[in-house]
Structure formats: C-alpha cells, structure tokens
Amino acid sequence: MGVTEIGAAYVIAGLLEIVYPLALAFYLKRTLKTDWRMFFIGCAMFLASLVRIPLNNYVTMAIFGSELGQSTITTLLYLFPSLTAGVFEEGARYIAYRFMAKDHTIENGLMYGAGHGGIESILLAGINLLYIGVVLLTNPSAFPYYQLAAIEATPLYMPFVSFYERFMTIMIQVGLSIVVLESFRKRSLRYLAAAIFIHFALDFVALITAGYGVFYAEMVITGFAVGLGYWSLEKYRAEKLESEGPTLG
C-alpha cells in the first residue's frame, strides 16, 4: 500500500472525527432546540478535566520506579489513569451542572455530552489524524524512515477504526452526561458515583483488552456505548411522554 492511499485514509478519518461531533451538535440544536452554550460548556469542562494529566504522569513515574512485581505494576498503570479519568471527567460534569447550567433538562444534558465528547474527538484524535494525513500527502519525507515504514504498513482500515472508536466514545460521553445529570434531577449522588464507576470500569477493561488486540478493546467500547446510548434514549423518551401528558383516546 502506497503513501498516497494511507495518507488519504488518514485525512478522511481525521475530517470525520472533526465534522461528526459538530454535525451532531447542529442536529441537537435544530431538533431539540438546545442551547449552544451547553455545547461549549461541555468542551470547556472536558479540557478542564485534563488537569489530571500531570498527576497521572507523576504517579506513572513513581510506579515504574517502585520495586513492585511486574504484574502489579502493569495493573496499577491501567488502574490509576482509569480512576482519575472517571473522577475528574465526571466531577467536571457535576461542577458544570451545579454552577454553570441550572436548567437540568435531558436536552441540555445531551448537548453537554456532545460538547464534552466532541472536543475530545476533535482535539485529541481528529486533528492528529488530519495532520498525519496531510504530511503524508504533501511531504512524507518529513517522517523518519522507520516511522514512515510503520505508517505504510498500517492497514488501510485502521484510521477508520479510530473514527469508529470516536463515534462510540461520543455516545458514551453523552450517556455519562445524562447519568450525572440524574444526580440533580433525582437529587441523589448515587448517579454521580455510578458515572465515576462506569467510566473507570470502561477505561480499565478497555486498556486490559487492548493488550490482546485493538478489536477486543473496540468490542468493550461498543458494549458500553450501546448500553449507555439505549439507557439515555429511554430516559429521553420517558421525559417526552411525561411532558406531553396523557392523551384522550
């Protein structure tokens, strides 16, 4: 497979990872009459949650420098970033709903989730893939020969696996946004605790299964996405039925 083909695949997949979350936000705005402010709050709070990265780096170095057994070190390297992702991201959602978004409607929760997951897709995945694709198409010699050889050996479908993962991850982010929202709608912190645990479990299991192959990790992500997506859709349907009230037969 040539550089041109894999470069084009990277460009297309990168553009999809950028365009999809924006298209989703436009769809929610048009169909649910949501506020763009919720989308941008979601974007901002995801970025704020990244303050965990220096902590993760520090603890990772400490784990590597420890005298623990190899299996324990590997487990901790999976466990700690999974836990901080759950605590910081779900904590960011809770803070957003508590202080920035007082109108706790399902529609606003969906729009918040589109922003939270959307900016992750755009900044952490889409732009990177797009950049790699553009360089491959315009100036492939900019890559060291060994890196270029590794890229050329990449199956043509792999960039689109990345897009598939982002598609499913956005569904998860939207679902978790509704779970945390229920903390306010039901006045119970159990939903926040549940969101933290779900996020932790997802990341931890996905990291473990990734060691057996990328498709195993994608199966885990898909399972969580379908479950949270279905639960969120049922919540929205129940809300609509309740707001419409009983109809005369």
Side-chain angles (χ1 to χ4, degrees), residues 58-144:
Y58 175 81
V59 173
T60 296
M61 294 303 296
I63 293 171
F64 274 123
S66 70
E67 297 182 358
L68 299 170
Q70 184 58 49
S71 61
T72 303
I73 288 176
T74 301
T75 300
L76 289 175
L77 290 175
Y78 292 158
L79 189 150
F80 189 78
S82 300
L83 180 61
T84 58
V87 171
F88 279 79
E89 287 196 49
E90 305 317 314
R93 283 185 238 268
Y94 186 86
I95 291 170
Y97 293 140
R98 175 69 176 81
F99 298 104
M100 304 176 193
K102 300 299 181 70
D103 191 4
H104 299 141
T105 64
I106 295 290
E107 291 81 0
N108 279 344
L110 294 171
M111 191 61 145
Y112 175 95
H116 191 111
I119 197 67
E120 179 183 28
S121 177
I122 292 169
L123 293 184
L124 302 188
I127 290 177
N128 286 335
L129 259 64
L130 182 60
Y131 172 78
I132 292 172
V134 169
V135 174
L136 285 172
L137 292 175
T138 59
N139 186 25
S141 61
F143 292 102

Side-chain angles (χ1 to χ4, degrees), residues 97 106 109-110 174-182 231-232 235:
Y97 293 140
I106 295 290
L110 294 171
V174 170
L176 289 172
S177 297
I178 301 301
V179 175
V180 177
L181 186 67
E182 289 294 285
W231 183 83
S232 300
K235 280 288 180 183

Side-chain angles (χ1 to χ4, degrees), residues 17-210:
E17 292 180 354
I18 293 169
V19 170
Y20 169 67
L22 297 176
L24 175 62
F26 273 104
Y27 174 79
L28 293 175
K29 170 65 177 174
R30 186 183 66 181
T31 58
L32 304 182
K33 311 302 180 185
T34 53
D35 191 341
W36 275 108
R37 180 172 174 269
M38 293 302 302
F39 179 83
F40 291 115
I41 289 174
C43 292
M45 295 309 289
F46 171 77
L47 296 176
S49 74
L50 297 180
V51 298
R52 70 184 185 272
I53 292 177
L55 174 62
N56 287 348
N57 292 339
Y58 175 81
V59 173
T60 296
M61 294 303 296
I63 293 171
F64 274 123
S66 70
E67 297 182 358
L68 299 170
Q70 184 58 49
S71 61
T72 303
I73 288 176
T74 301
T75 300
L76 289 175
L77 290 175
Y78 292 158
L79 189 150
F80 189 78
S82 300
L83 180 61
T84 58
V87 171
F88 279 79
E89 287 196 49
E90 305 317 314
R93 283 185 238 268
Y94 186 86
I95 291 170
Y97 293 140
R98 175 69 176 81
F99 298 104
M100 304 176 193
K102 300 299 181 70
D103 191 4
H104 299 141
T105 64
I106 295 290
E107 291 81 0
N108 279 344
L110 294 171
M111 191 61 145
Y112 175 95
H116 191 111
I119 197 67
E120 179 183 28
S121 177
I122 292 169
L123 293 184
L124 302 188
I127 290 177
N128 286 335
L129 259 64
L130 182 60
Y131 172 78
I132 292 172
V134 169
V135 174
L136 285 172
L137 292 175
T138 59
N139 186 25
S141 61
F143 292 102
Y145 75 91
Y146 58 87
Q147 189 175 7
L148 184 60
I151 292 173
E152 287 182 298
T154 302
L156 193 61
Y157 60 80
M158 284 305 295
F160 299 101
V161 172
S162 174
F163 168 64
Y164 174 82
E165 180 177 317
R166 287 302 102 198
F167 184 92
M168 290 296 168
T169 300
I170 289 175
M171 191 183 302
I172 290 169
Q173 296 286 21
V174 170
L176 289 172
S177 297
I178 301 301
V179 175
V180 177
L181 186 67
E182 289 294 285
S183 295
F184 296 90
R185 293 166 59 86
K186 297 293 182 7
R187 301 176 183 271
S188 173
L189 289 178
R190 288 180 300 177
Y191 288 93
L192 174 61
I196 292 173
F197 177 77
I198 292 169
H199 200 140
F200 160 73
L202 165 63
D203 285 11
F204 185 65
V205 176
L207 284 172
I208 291 175
T209 53

